[in-house]
Amino acid sequence: MAEKQFKPYVAPEENVKELTLKSIILGCVFGIIFGAATVYLALKAGLTVSASIPIAVIAITLGRKFFKTTILENNIIQTTGSAGESIAAGVVFTLPGFLFLSIGADGKSAGEEYFTYITILVLAIFGGILGTLMMIPLRRSLIVKEHDTLPYPEGTACGAVLKAGEKGGDFAKTAFLGLGVAFLYAILQKVFHIIAEAPTFLASQKNKYFPSAKVSGEITPEYLGVGYIIGPRISGVLVAGGVMAWLAFIPLLAFLVPAETIAFQLAKLGMLGDITKAGGPGGWDPVTKTFGDYSVAIYQAYVKQIGAGAVAAGGFITLIKTIPTIVSSFKASLGSLKDGKGEEAVPRTEKDLSLKIVGIGSLVLIVLMALLPQIPGDSILDKLLIGVLVVVFGAFFVTVSSRIVGLIGSSNNPISGMTIATIMGTCLIFIAIGWTGQIYQPMALVVGGIICIASANAGATSQDLKSGYIVGATPRNQQIALLIGAVVSSIVIGYTVHILDTPTREMQAAGIQHAIGTDKLSAPQATLMATLIKGILKGDLDWQFVMVGVFISITMELCGIKSLSFAVGAYLPLSTTLPIAIGGGIRGLVDWKQKRSGVKLSAEDEELGKGNLFATGLVAGGAVAGVIVAILSVNETVTEKLAKINAEHGLSQMLGNGGYQILGVVFFALMGYILYRIGRQRSTTIAELEK
């Protein structure tokens, strides 16, 4: 058997420091930092990147130099910290949907009262704990028995990093350099406004050949870093969707659809109170019956719904393609539960938390969901049903998620597809028992949200347990660390969402009550989930636009292109996908140069390449700076002081508006060149370190 042949780095009989106070505290700190960064990035772009490897890299460097940590303590740091990133992704992909459910008579969303810090905290903790608990009985089946057949790429890479760290590998300098460059760039951009935030070219609505075509880019370090990490293929497909939306659909609709018809559509969607009043997306003027920016108005009125249909179909197609894996993994996992050993016969490296904890924890979760006032529902029986649905769907999709990431990695985990399937299943159950009122919309979102968080956390947990298996960790200690990390990071994730949702003074003046849902923080995945719930339970969705999106995804699949990436690109603004594609292009150029030089790297060595580490630093630095500026901007006194050091007006006067935007592009190009040069530098390979 594979588990008998495999020898971990630290033998089972060795007694090495592992679950210590300093390892938990450091892990929680990293979980907070990367959790906050993930919230920011996911709200802006609907994308995340795995935090496990950068946390492992930084843990080794700081731990060895300042805290004298062992390899198993470093593993606990990485394990605890990674919970923050995965839970943040699940939260942001779903829970902001409370703001986008059906509008009631009071003019507010049916779920707005539940979009509070306490509710987000409770749901994040429930989802994080559920994902960890459900993985406990699966560990032996997936991690141990299938060690040779399920690679768990991020977990294997983390294990390699931890072992290399024991032999003197110093990977963190490049990541810290990227973080420093990103932080400096972000301060120049978000505080001093020396760098333009989103250089834009917009064709006039009167343009004879290309009306209201818009090309723009949020030239931020985090987008450049994300593009480099995900590579040229995925980033290229993403921007292709954006090109179709902004340079094909929008100019076509701008030519064909009268402005007044667009305004009526925006009013129908609740984005424009009355077509006799000015405002709304694109700046409607009822006197001249024109928009200040037709591209934004058309995007919100039509293209976003087409994109929502494409994303829903793409997620569902991705899930359908993994059905064979789902069926086989579920059967194998159920079979593994029959294997049991007495506690006294189990070596240290095979000791898990008791299955009793899984059963009791699941029952407690159901009871708490029934009793807590933060959970939507008219009665305890209503809440009991959604608690049972959460545990049932959770057991299934945690198994699916854990198995899939073992094959294709956490970055490719079809969490959106699983969440869409959960929401559709929940809504159909609700319809079957006659629950179609607005009160049931937030209840359906709660089920989808907890499953999304649990599935995301289960995928990350599986990678962590794989790392632990490689280095010889104690599974029970890792599982305890994961539970602690889930709770601590949830505290800060809810706070970060709350802060980022606070509207600026300009937004408040325009009557905007929530920053989430604006162009600054579009929350694309959460908007989609809310759109689906409304469409199924209430039937007020413009299905003609959604079906266009569905068949766009089907067309992409028939062309051999991953439809979900293309669909997300069509849903997001081009300003988001364009800088990501530039980062992917730089990665493609670096890879091409390496191939020409005859350099061949393993998957682990690519993950630990200097370009990847620098890009990770760009993502973390840019996102953390964005969160800090958002927190500072909540205070009016700080906002006034920041306005005094804003250089945008002076630079625009001196260079002209076009010159100011070109200056920003030059800064972005310089950062891209630095990323390219660092990406071309040779990195020490794992094999060299292990000699």
Side-chain angles (χ1 to χ4, degrees):
M1 298 291 290
E3 67 265 34
K4 292 181 179 178
Q5 297 171 351
F6 178 76
K7 293 182 179 179
Y9 186 82
V10 178
E13 58 272 11
E14 288 188 56
N15 186 17
V16 178
K17 285 184 180 179
E18 187 173 4
L19 188 67
T20 58
L21 182 61
K22 62 183 174 183
S23 65
I24 290 293
I25 291 174
L26 285 171
C28 288
V29 169
F30 288 131
I32 289 168
I33 293 171
F34 281 91
T38 299
V39 168
Y40 182 76
L41 188 62
L43 281 173
K44 283 178 69 69
L47 298 167
T48 63
V49 292
S50 175
S52 297
I53 293 172
I55 291 175
V57 166
I58 296 170
I60 289 168
T61 303
L62 296 182
R64 193 174 68 244
K65 288 185 177 179
F66 301 108
F67 300 101
K68 309 300 180 186
T69 51
T70 67
I71 185 172
L72 297 189
E73 285 179 309
N74 287 335
N75 181 59
I76 290 292
I77 294 171
Q78 180 271 129
T79 298
T80 310
S82 67
E85 176 261 337
S86 58
I87 291 172
V91 166
V92 176
F93 284 170
T94 53
L95 300 189
F98 282 127
L99 298 174
F100 313 127
L101 297 173
S102 295
I103 305 298
D106 58 356
K108 293 184 178 181
S109 163
E112 189 165 344
E113 65 177 292
Y114 300 106
F115 194 66
T116 63
Y117 170 75
I118 295 298
T119 302
I120 294 170
L121 172 65
V122 168
L123 297 181
I125 290 174
F126 283 179
I129 290 175
L130 183 66
T132 303
L133 288 179
M134 293 297 180
M135 254 308 294
I136 291 172
L138 299 176
R139 189 194 67 84
R140 281 189 55 78
S141 170
L142 300 180
I143 307 300
V144 179
K145 290 189 175 182
E146 298 200 49
H147 175 63
D148 295 329
T149 55
L150 290 177
Y152 287 98
E154 289 95 344
T156 300
C158 276
V161 170
L162 291 165
K163 289 195 294 183
E166 288 295 289
K167 297 178 180 293
D170 191 356
F171 300 102
K173 286 182 181 178
T174 309
F176 282 123
L177 177 62
L179 195 148
V181 168
F183 205 83
L184 175 62
Y185 183 102
I187 295 300
L188 292 175
Q189 185 178 55
K190 300 178 190 300
V191 176
F192 294 102
H193 294 273
I194 293 171
I195 303 171
E197 292 202 17
T200 302
F201 167 78
L202 175 63
S204 167
Q205 172 64 12
K206 296 179 181 179
N207 188 296
K208 187 176 178 181
Y209 305 103
F210 219 29
S212 294
K214 188 175 187 178
V215 177
S216 62
E218 289 189 55
I219 48 175
T220 63
E222 57 267 28
Y223 285 170
L224 188 71
V226 166
Y228 190 94
I229 292 168
I230 66 178
R233 176 67 181 171
I234 297 175
S235 63
V237 173
L238 269 174
V239 80
V243 168
M244 181 193 70
W246 290 83
L247 300 180
F249 283 170
I250 288 177
L252 178 64
L253 292 171
F255 177 74
L256 294 175
V257 183
E260 208 165 359
T261 304
I262 299 170
F264 272 115
Q265 175 66 11
L266 289 172
K268 176 187 172 184
L269 295 172
M271 297 181 187
L272 183 63
D274 190 330
I275 66 165
T276 62
K277 296 179 182 178
W284 168 247
D285 186 338
V287 178
T288 61
K289 297 190 185 311
T290 59
F291 287 95
D293 187 337
Y294 277 80
S295 64
V296 172
I298 294 169
Y299 169 70
Q300 293 290 347
Y302 304 111
V303 174
K304 209 168 183 182
Q305 294 190 77
I306 294 172
V311 173
F316 211 67
I317 289 168
T318 304
L319 191 64
I320 289 171
K321 288 163 71 176
T322 58
I323 281 178
T325 304
I326 291 171
V327 173
S328 62
S329 64
F330 202 66
K331 284 182 178 178
S333 300
L334 288 176
S336 71
L337 297 180
K338 297 176 182 177
D339 293 338
K341 290 184 179 182
E343 176 69 20
E344 68 283 351
V346 177
R348 176 186 62 81
T349 51
E350 291 184 25
K351 288 183 178 179
D352 293 282
L353 287 174
S354 169
L355 286 179
K356 292 179 182 178
I357 293 177
V358 180
I360 294 170
S362 299
L363 289 174
V364 169
L365 180 64
I366 293 173
V367 172
L368 287 175
M369 290 192 70
L371 298 177
L372 287 176
Q374 288 78 21
I375 305 299
D378 279 336
S379 67
I380 289 179
L381 286 177
D382 291 356
K383 295 181 181 184
L384 272 175
L385 175 61
I386 63 173
V388 171
L389 288 176
V390 161
V391 171
V392 172
F393 280 124
F396 181 73
F397 283 118
V398 161
T399 302
V400 172
S401 178
S402 302
R403 178 86 181 199
I404 287 175
V405 299
L407 294 170
I408 59 178
S410 296
S411 300
N412 299 308
N413 193 4
I415 294 171
S416 293
M418 299 179 204
T419 309
I420 289 167
T422 299
I423 284 174
M424 291 179 71
T426 301
C427 288
L428 291 174
I429 291 170
F430 283 7
I431 290 171
I433 58 179
W435 289 3
T436 56
Q438 287 190 9
I439 182 62
Y440 302 111
Q441 292 182 14
M443 291 171 64
L445 187 62
V446 164
V447 178
I450 292 180
I451 297 309
C452 186
I453 296 164
S455 299
N457 193 40
T461 296
S462 303
Q463 303 288 0
D464 295 334
L465 292 172
K466 181 72 165 187
S467 302
Y469 184 63
I470 290 170
V471 300
T474 308
R476 176 190 291 163
N477 290 341
Q478 283 192 280
Q479 289 153 0
I480 293 170
L482 284 160
L483 292 171
I484 294 171
V487 173
V488 172
S489 59
S490 294
I491 295 170
V492 180
I493 288 166
Y495 179 72
T496 306
V497 171
H498 177 69
I499 289 294
L500 292 177
D501 187 49
T502 305
T504 62
R505 188 178 298 175
E506 292 79 10
M507 290 177 183
Q508 290 174 341
I512 298 171
Q513 301 300 315
H514 297 276
I516 293 176
T518 64
D519 291 341
K520 293 289 184 184
L521 299 169
S522 59
Q525 304 274 15
T527 308
L528 167 66
M529 302 308 169
T531 301
L532 283 173
I533 291 170
K534 288 188 295 183
I536 297 172
L537 290 183
K538 194 179 176 186
D540 65 350
L541 198 62
D542 287 320
W543 286 102
Q544 63 272 35
F545 302 122
V546 173
M547 291 308 296
V548 170
V550 168
F551 280 95
I552 285 173
S553 285
I554 291 172
T555 302
M556 291 300 106
E557 288 291 337
L558 293 173
C559 292
I561 296 169
K562 288 185 178 179
S563 58
L564 186 56
S565 297
F566 187 90
V568 170
Y571 187 87
L572 290 171
L574 184 62
S575 59
T576 297
T577 56
L578 186 57
I580 290 174
I582 291 170
I586 294 171
R587 173 66 177 269
L589 185 59
V590 168
D591 291 347
W592 178 68
K593 287 278 191 180
Q594 285 180 339
K595 285 181 181 177
R596 287 194 63 186
S597 304
V599 177
K600 293 183 179 180
L601 298 175
S602 67
E604 290 86 355
D605 288 326
E606 284 187 0
E607 292 279 3
L608 298 172
K610 289 194 173 182
N612 251 27
L613 292 173
F614 185 80
T616 298
L618 291 180
V619 173
V624 169
V627 172
I628 291 172
V629 171
I631 292 172
L632 293 175
S633 299
V634 171
N635 186 296
E636 288 193 10
T637 304
V638 174
T639 302
E640 290 173 1
K641 289 181 179 179
L642 290 176
K644 291 178 182 178
I645 57 175
N646 189 331
E648 181 177 352
H649 180 68
L651 287 172
S652 295
Q653 278 191 328
M654 183 170 59
L655 302 173
N657 188 54
Y660 173 65
Q661 296 196 28
I662 290 171
L663 177 65
V665 172
V666 170
F667 270 98
F668 189 70
L670 176 61
M671 184 169 57
Y673 179 72
I674 294 171
L675 175 59
Y676 168 75
R677 294 294 300 175
I678 290 176
R680 290 284 294 128
Q681 293 176 8
R682 186 183 180 280
S683 303
T684 305
T685 65
I686 296 295
E688 290 171 340
L689 286 167
E690 289 182 343
K691 286 182 179 178

